[in-house]
Structure formats: C-alpha cells, structure tokens
Amino acid sequence: MYMREPIEKRLAKIKKEIEKETFLEKKGLGNEVSYYIFDYSPKDELKVREYLKEVGKNKKMIKGEYKIINYDVYDIMIDLLEKEGYLEACMEMEKDEGMEKLVGAVNDLLRMSDDNNYFAEYIEKNTPEKSIVFIAGIGKIFPFVRSHKILNNLHQYFDRVPVVMFYPGRYDGQSLSLFEEFLDDNYYR
C-alpha cells in the first residue's frame, strides 16, 4: 500500500521547497527542465483546490521577487471553447457522436499533437519572468487531455521558470497514475 503523509503536512512543505535557491535557479536537476509533480490522493482534491485558491489570493507567498502563477488547465480549455463559440456545440457533439469523437475534436482545437499546443502557448504568453508556475485541473480535464501530453509538450516549449503540476493520483518517478487508477503514459523528466 502506497502511504503518504497527510495532505496538510505536504502542502505546508511546499513554501519551504519552492523558496530554495536550487529550486528557483533550476539547479541540481541533471540539466533537466525544472518540472515537478506534486501527487496527492484524489480524495484530497478539495483541500488542494483550497490551498491553490489561497495561493492565488497571496501571489507573494514566497520571499523575494518571485510570484506564483496558478493555471487551471480545465478553466483554460473551457475559456477557449467559450471564446471560439464551441461550448454548446461540444455538448451537442457528445450527445450526437459520442465522447470519443468529442475528445478528438477538443484535442484538435487545443493542438495537443503540436509541440506548442494551446496550453504551452497560453502559459508562455501569460507567465512573467521571476515566476513559479502551478498547474492544476488535471483531474477535471480528464478524459479530454492527459497530463503527460501537457508536460511533454510544455517542456519542449517552455523552460524559463520552474513548473509544479498538482496531480490527483500517483507519480512514482516514471509513471503517472491518474486517480490512482488510470495509468498514463510515462513521464520521465
């Protein structure tokens, strides 16, 4: 059985970790892109959302010039669908053609097979220097987009600030298991 510390303890440690010079300066990672995964039990989703909401209110949570920028990929996707006028069409497509067809259409709109997919482009465009990026909403966006696709594409396009993905599942250093149930493709970085 995979045991973690209580979520409150783990969330309390984030501030200390992200203030470390090695984290902020992207050192000590074997020259890899500085991306981190904070995995947590899906039953703790509401606690993590509350934590991120508080962080969002207090963007100067950490000392120095750095700011935390929260991105919820589900909200980004919904905003794009609304902006393009496709949200209601998506509901009709699911009803008429099924979820698989809808997932394919949304992935095409988000350009998920491109290196600079919509998420990577959005994050690059909206992230100031001296930031730390927090990515959430992974559970809410399933099955439309898989987390490994976001990370693999983002790392090819965006590497100027540290990124922490909040992941409702388990990460063992190589594999992601969404909701501790669905095995995602490998993520080695």
Side-chain angles (χ1 to χ4, degrees):
M1 178 92 184
Y2 182 69
M3 296 296 293
R4 297 183 179 109
E5 286 185 296
I7 192 65
E8 295 82 4
K9 256 184 151 176
R10 293 184 66 225
L11 290 169
K13 291 178 180 180
I14 291 174
K15 181 178 180 345
K16 183 178 175 187
E17 289 299 314
I18 65 177
E19 285 185 334
K20 289 181 178 177
E21 185 177 327
T22 54
F23 179 90
L24 295 171
E25 308 257 332
K26 303 183 293 185
K27 294 179 183 171
L29 294 172
N31 293 324
E32 280 289 336
V33 178
S34 56
Y35 283 29
Y36 302 86
I37 297 175
F38 182 89
D39 66 345
Y40 57 92
S41 173
K43 70 180 177 56
D44 292 323
E45 176 69 23
L46 296 179
K47 292 176 183 176
V48 171
R49 285 185 195 178
E50 187 59 35
Y51 170 81
L52 292 170
K53 185 176 168 185
E54 289 303 311
V55 167
K57 290 178 187 173
N58 182 14
K59 292 194 186 296
K60 291 299 288 177
M61 169 184 153
I62 56 175
K63 63 184 176 188
E65 312 168 53
Y66 286 85
K67 287 189 265 182
I68 295 173
I69 309 296
N70 279 326
Y71 294 109
D72 184 307
V73 290
Y74 177 80
D75 291 342
I76 293 170
M77 179 184 77
I78 294 298
D79 288 347
L80 175 64
L81 290 172
E82 286 177 339
K83 182 177 95 177
E84 296 294 326
Y86 294 148
L87 193 56
E88 287 192 30
C90 284
M91 290 180 232
E92 289 301 315
M93 178 181 272
E94 180 184 8
K95 225 186 300 178
D96 297 342
E97 300 181 44
M99 182 59 99
E100 190 174 323
K101 187 81 166 171
L102 175 60
V103 167
V106 170
N107 269 265
D108 288 347
L109 177 66
L110 294 168
R111 302 185 322 269
M112 290 309 296
S113 58
D114 296 352
D115 287 348
N116 70 335
N117 63 60
Y118 185 74
F119 295 114
E121 190 177 271
Y122 184 93
I123 291 170
E124 170 63 32
K125 181 179 165 188
N126 292 288
T127 303
E129 295 299 323
K130 299 285 186 180
S131 296
I132 298 169
V133 169
F134 282 2
I135 297 176
I138 298 302
K140 295 188 292 183
I141 205 169
F142 178 82
F144 293 97
V145 178
R146 302 300 292 259
S147 56
H148 78 278
K149 287 291 283 181
I150 293 171
L151 290 175
N152 285 334
N153 291 349
L154 187 62
H155 101 273
Q156 294 176 45
Y157 189 72
F158 182 76
D159 65 356
R160 60 187 168 85
V161 302
V163 173
V164 179
M165 176 179 277
F166 288 80
Y167 187 79
R170 188 177 17 221
Y171 176 60
D172 65 10
Q174 290 188 337
S175 299
L176 296 161
S177 176
L178 186 63
F179 309 130
E180 298 176 349
E181 195 171 313
F182 300 106
L183 188 61
D184 214 336
D185 282 353
N186 291 336
Y187 179 71
Y188 297 107
R189 288 160 185 68

Short mmCIF file of all heavy atoms in Angstrom, two decimals, residues 140-167:
data_model
loop_
_atom_site.label_atom_id
_atom_site.label_comp_id
_atom_site.label_asym_id
_atom_site.label_seq_id
_atom_site.Cartn_x
_atom_site.Cartn_y
_atom_site.Cartn_z
N LYS A 140 -9.95 17.42 -13.53
CA LYS A 140 -11.16 17.99 -14.13
C LYS A 140 -11.14 17.90 -15.65
O LYS A 140 -12.19 17.85 -16.28
CB LYS A 140 -11.31 19.45 -13.72
CG LYS A 140 -11.56 19.65 -12.24
CD LYS A 140 -11.90 21.10 -11.90
CE LYS A 140 -10.75 22.04 -12.10
NZ LYS A 140 -11.07 23.42 -11.69
N ILE A 141 -9.96 17.87 -16.25
CA ILE A 141 -9.86 17.89 -17.71
C ILE A 141 -9.89 16.48 -18.32
O ILE A 141 -10.06 16.32 -19.52
CB ILE A 141 -8.59 18.67 -18.15
CG1 ILE A 141 -8.76 19.21 -19.55
CG2 ILE A 141 -7.35 17.81 -18.01
CD1 ILE A 141 -7.70 20.20 -19.95
N PHE A 142 -9.74 15.46 -17.48
CA PHE A 142 -9.79 14.08 -17.97
C PHE A 142 -11.20 13.77 -18.44
O PHE A 142 -12.15 14.16 -17.78
CB PHE A 142 -9.39 13.13 -16.82
CG PHE A 142 -9.46 11.68 -17.19
CD1 PHE A 142 -8.42 11.09 -17.87
CD2 PHE A 142 -10.56 10.91 -16.86
CE1 PHE A 142 -8.47 9.75 -18.22
CE2 PHE A 142 -10.64 9.58 -17.20
CZ PHE A 142 -9.59 8.99 -17.88
N PRO A 143 -11.42 13.12 -19.55
CA PRO A 143 -10.50 12.42 -20.44
C PRO A 143 -10.05 13.24 -21.65
O PRO A 143 -9.46 12.70 -22.57
CB PRO A 143 -11.35 11.23 -20.90
CG PRO A 143 -12.72 11.83 -21.06
CD PRO A 143 -12.83 12.83 -19.92
N PHE A 144 -10.34 14.52 -21.65
CA PHE A 144 -10.01 15.34 -22.82
C PHE A 144 -8.52 15.44 -23.09
O PHE A 144 -8.08 15.36 -24.22
CB PHE A 144 -10.62 16.75 -22.68
CG PHE A 144 -12.10 16.73 -22.73
CD1 PHE A 144 -12.85 16.74 -21.57
CD2 PHE A 144 -12.77 16.65 -23.94
CE1 PHE A 144 -14.23 16.69 -21.61
CE2 PHE A 144 -14.15 16.61 -23.99
CZ PHE A 144 -14.88 16.62 -22.82
N VAL A 145 -7.76 15.67 -22.05
CA VAL A 145 -6.32 15.85 -22.21
C VAL A 145 -5.63 15.06 -21.11
O VAL A 145 -6.04 15.11 -19.95
CB VAL A 145 -5.93 17.34 -22.12
CG1 VAL A 145 -4.43 17.52 -22.24
CG2 VAL A 145 -6.65 18.15 -23.19
N ARG A 146 -4.57 14.37 -21.46
CA ARG A 146 -3.80 13.60 -20.49
C ARG A 146 -2.62 14.44 -20.01
O ARG A 146 -2.03 15.21 -20.76
CB ARG A 146 -3.29 12.30 -21.12
CG ARG A 146 -4.40 11.41 -21.68
CD ARG A 146 -5.41 10.96 -20.63
NE ARG A 146 -4.85 10.05 -19.67
CZ ARG A 146 -5.01 8.74 -19.67
NH1 ARG A 146 -5.74 8.17 -20.62
NH2 ARG A 146 -4.47 7.99 -18.75
N SER A 147 -2.31 14.29 -18.74
CA SER A 147 -1.27 15.11 -18.11
C SER A 147 0.09 14.96 -18.77
O SER A 147 0.83 15.93 -18.90
CB SER A 147 -1.17 14.78 -16.63
OG SER A 147 -0.94 13.40 -16.45
N HIS A 148 0.44 13.74 -19.19
CA HIS A 148 1.76 13.56 -19.81
C HIS A 148 1.87 14.37 -21.11
O HIS A 148 2.94 14.86 -21.44
CB HIS A 148 2.07 12.08 -20.06
CG HIS A 148 1.38 11.50 -21.25
ND1 HIS A 148 0.07 11.06 -21.21
CD2 HIS A 148 1.81 11.31 -22.51
CE1 HIS A 148 -0.26 10.62 -22.40
NE2 HIS A 148 0.77 10.75 -23.21
N LYS A 149 0.76 14.53 -21.83
CA LYS A 149 0.78 15.34 -23.05
C LYS A 149 1.04 16.80 -22.73
O LYS A 149 1.79 17.47 -23.44
CB LYS A 149 -0.54 15.20 -23.82
CG LYS A 149 -0.75 13.89 -24.51
CD LYS A 149 0.19 13.68 -25.66
CE LYS A 149 -0.25 14.47 -26.87
NZ LYS A 149 0.62 14.28 -28.02
N ILE A 150 0.44 17.29 -21.67
CA ILE A 150 0.67 18.68 -21.27
C ILE A 150 2.13 18.87 -20.90
O ILE A 150 2.81 19.77 -21.39
CB ILE A 150 -0.25 19.08 -20.09
CG1 ILE A 150 -1.71 19.11 -20.55
CG2 ILE A 150 0.17 20.44 -19.53
CD1 ILE A 150 -2.71 19.28 -19.43
N LEU A 151 2.65 18.00 -20.04
CA LEU A 151 4.04 18.14 -19.59
C LEU A 151 5.04 17.92 -20.71
O LEU A 151 6.00 18.69 -20.84
CB LEU A 151 4.31 17.17 -18.44
CG LEU A 151 3.62 17.48 -17.13
CD1 LEU A 151 3.88 16.36 -16.13
CD2 LEU A 151 4.07 18.81 -16.57
N ASN A 152 4.86 16.88 -21.50
CA ASN A 152 5.82 16.61 -22.57
C ASN A 152 5.87 17.74 -23.59
O ASN A 152 6.94 18.13 -24.05
CB ASN A 152 5.50 15.29 -23.27
CG ASN A 152 5.89 14.10 -22.43
OD1 ASN A 152 6.79 14.17 -21.60
ND2 ASN A 152 5.21 12.99 -22.64
N ASN A 153 4.70 18.27 -23.95
CA ASN A 153 4.67 19.37 -24.92
C ASN A 153 5.15 20.67 -24.29
O ASN A 153 5.88 21.43 -24.93
CB ASN A 153 3.28 19.53 -25.49
CG ASN A 153 2.89 18.38 -26.39
OD1 ASN A 153 3.70 17.55 -26.75
ND2 ASN A 153 1.62 18.31 -26.72
N LEU A 154 4.78 20.92 -23.06
CA LEU A 154 5.18 22.16 -22.39
C LEU A 154 6.69 22.24 -22.22
O LEU A 154 7.29 23.28 -22.45
CB LEU A 154 4.47 22.28 -21.05
CG LEU A 154 4.63 23.59 -20.29
CD1 LEU A 154 4.06 24.75 -21.10
CD2 LEU A 154 3.94 23.51 -18.94
N HIS A 155 7.32 21.13 -21.85
CA HIS A 155 8.76 21.18 -21.60
C HIS A 155 9.56 21.48 -22.87
O HIS A 155 10.65 22.02 -22.80
CB HIS A 155 9.26 19.89 -20.93
CG HIS A 155 9.92 18.94 -21.86
ND1 HIS A 155 9.23 18.02 -22.59
CD2 HIS A 155 11.23 18.81 -22.19
CE1 HIS A 155 10.08 17.35 -23.33
NE2 HIS A 155 11.29 17.81 -23.11
N GLN A 156 9.01 21.18 -24.04
CA GLN A 156 9.71 21.47 -25.29
C GLN A 156 9.61 22.94 -25.67
O GLN A 156 10.37 23.44 -26.48
CB GLN A 156 9.12 20.62 -26.41
CG GLN A 156 9.37 19.14 -26.23
CD GLN A 156 8.70 18.34 -27.31
OE1 GLN A 156 8.77 18.68 -28.48
NE2 GLN A 156 8.06 17.25 -26.92
N TYR A 157 8.68 23.63 -25.05
CA TYR A 157 8.35 24.99 -25.46
C TYR A 157 8.60 26.01 -24.36
O TYR A 157 8.83 27.18 -24.64
CB TYR A 157 6.86 24.99 -25.86
CG TYR A 157 6.36 26.24 -26.51
CD1 TYR A 157 6.73 26.58 -27.80
CD2 TYR A 157 5.50 27.09 -25.83
CE1 TYR A 157 6.25 27.73 -28.41
CE2 TYR A 157 5.01 28.24 -26.42
CZ TYR A 157 5.39 28.56 -27.71
OH TYR A 157 4.91 29.68 -28.29
N PHE A 158 8.58 25.56 -23.12
CA PHE A 158 8.58 26.49 -22.00
C PHE A 158 9.50 25.96 -20.91
O PHE A 158 9.20 24.96 -20.27
CB PHE A 158 7.15 26.62 -21.46
CG PHE A 158 6.99 27.59 -20.32
CD1 PHE A 158 6.99 28.96 -20.55
CD2 PHE A 158 6.86 27.14 -19.02
CE1 PHE A 158 6.83 29.85 -19.50
CE2 PHE A 158 6.71 28.02 -17.96
CZ PHE A 158 6.69 29.38 -18.22
N ASP A 159 10.64 26.65 -20.71
CA ASP A 159 11.58 26.17 -19.70
C ASP A 159 12.24 27.29 -18.90
O ASP A 159 13.23 27.09 -18.23
CB ASP A 159 12.67 25.31 -20.35
CG ASP A 159 13.55 26.11 -21.30
OD1 ASP A 159 13.30 27.30 -21.53
OD2 ASP A 159 14.52 25.52 -21.81
N ARG A 160 11.66 28.47 -18.92
CA ARG A 160 12.33 29.61 -18.28
C ARG A 160 12.03 29.78 -16.81
O ARG A 160 12.71 30.52 -16.11
CB ARG A 160 12.05 30.90 -19.04
CG ARG A 160 10.63 31.29 -19.17
CD ARG A 160 10.48 32.50 -20.11
NE ARG A 160 9.11 32.72 -20.44
CZ ARG A 160 8.26 33.40 -19.70
NH1 ARG A 160 8.65 33.93 -18.59
NH2 ARG A 160 7.01 33.55 -20.10
N VAL A 161 10.99 29.11 -16.28
CA VAL A 161 10.67 29.18 -14.86
C VAL A 161 10.30 27.78 -14.37
O VAL A 161 9.87 26.94 -15.16
CB VAL A 161 9.52 30.18 -14.56
CG1 VAL A 161 9.86 31.58 -15.05
CG2 VAL A 161 8.21 29.72 -15.12
N PRO A 162 10.42 27.54 -13.07
CA PRO A 162 10.01 26.23 -12.54
C PRO A 162 8.50 26.02 -12.65
O PRO A 162 7.72 26.96 -12.55
CB PRO A 162 10.42 26.29 -11.07
CG PRO A 162 11.31 27.47 -10.92
CD PRO A 162 11.01 28.40 -12.04
N VAL A 163 8.11 24.76 -12.86
CA VAL A 163 6.72 24.38 -13.02
C VAL A 163 6.41 23.25 -12.04
O VAL A 163 7.16 22.29 -11.93
CB VAL A 163 6.43 23.90 -14.46
CG1 VAL A 163 5.02 23.34 -14.59
CG2 VAL A 163 6.68 25.01 -15.46
N VAL A 164 5.29 23.39 -11.32
CA VAL A 164 4.80 22.34 -10.43
C VAL A 164 3.41 21.95 -10.89
O VAL A 164 2.52 22.80 -10.96
CB VAL A 164 4.74 22.81 -8.95
CG1 VAL A 164 4.20 21.70 -8.06
CG2 VAL A 164 6.11 23.30 -8.47
N MET A 165 3.25 20.67 -11.22
CA MET A 165 1.93 20.17 -11.59
C MET A 165 1.31 19.48 -10.37
O MET A 165 1.93 18.61 -9.77
CB MET A 165 1.99 19.19 -12.75
CG MET A 165 0.62 18.59 -13.07
SD MET A 165 0.63 17.45 -14.46
CE MET A 165 0.53 18.63 -15.80
N PHE A 166 0.11 19.88 -10.02
CA PHE A 166 -0.64 19.25 -8.94
C PHE A 166 -1.46 18.12 -9.57
O PHE A 166 -2.31 18.37 -10.42
CB PHE A 166 -1.52 20.28 -8.23
CG PHE A 166 -0.70 21.23 -7.40
CD1 PHE A 166 -0.03 22.29 -7.98
CD2 PHE A 166 -0.56 21.01 -6.03
CE1 PHE A 166 0.77 23.14 -7.22
CE2 PHE A 166 0.22 21.86 -5.26
CZ PHE A 166 0.88 22.92 -5.85
N TYR A 167 -1.14 16.90 -9.14
CA TYR A 167 -1.62 15.70 -9.83
C TYR A 167 -2.44 14.81 -8.91
O TYR A 167 -1.90 14.22 -7.98
CB TYR A 167 -0.40 14.94 -10.37
CG TYR A 167 -0.76 13.78 -11.24
CD1 TYR A 167 -1.14 13.98 -12.56
CD2 TYR A 167 -0.72 12.49 -10.74
CE1 TYR A 167 -1.47 12.91 -13.36
CE2 TYR A 167 -1.06 11.41 -11.54
CZ TYR A 167 -1.43 11.63 -12.84
OH TYR A 167 -1.78 10.57 -13.65
#
